[in-house]
Amino acid sequence: SADKPIASLWETFSIINFKDGTSAILSFENKFLSAEIDTDKKLIANRDNLWDWETFIVEKQKNNTVALKASNGKYVSVDRKTNQLFATSDAV
């Protein structure tokens, strides 16, 4: 969930970049972030193994920000009602 006003350990991730331009995102608990592509497309950091659903394209944006594109070709966004992250947006 994207609901914390200040980042602490739980909000800390490492990005692993691959030669093909994709990246994996690793939580502080050493679990990969995954987009649940076949169900609700929710993002969750609970994977021990790295497969397609655990890869993203990190696109640099203006003002030192980035956008994440999941393996389904959709961008990651936040549901304003639940603060949950989903890979469902067609554009940044």
Side-chain angles (χ1 to χ4, degrees):
S1 294
D3 61 354
K4 303 296 185 268
I6 298 172
S8 62
L9 188 59
W10 285 90
E11 292 79 35
T12 304
F13 297 87
S14 299
I15 296 185
I16 303 165
N17 296 312
F18 301 109
K19 291 181 181 180
D20 67 356
T22 62
S23 299
I25 300 171
L26 194 63
S27 76
F28 82 101
E29 293 179 311
N30 290 319
K31 300 284 185 177
F32 290 104
L33 184 67
S34 178
E36 298 278 341
I37 302 301
D38 69 343
T39 57
D40 58 7
K41 295 158 189 66
K42 179 171 61 174
L43 270 67
I44 187 164
N46 68 351
R47 295 305 202 305
D48 292 318
N49 297 308
L50 182 63
W51 302 100
D52 286 342
W53 290 2
E54 291 76 42
T55 60
F56 298 85
I57 295 174
V58 179
E59 295 183 358
K60 292 181 182 181
Q61 305 293 305
K62 296 179 182 178
N63 302 323
N64 293 321
T65 62
V66 297
L68 297 177
K69 185 184 274 189
S71 63
N72 65 348
K74 302 288 185 174
Y75 289 96
V76 174
S77 63
V78 178
D79 181 298
R80 292 180 188 222
K81 293 179 184 175
T82 65
N83 292 321
Q84 179 64 50
L85 297 168
F86 292 92
T88 57
S89 294
D90 290 321
V92 176

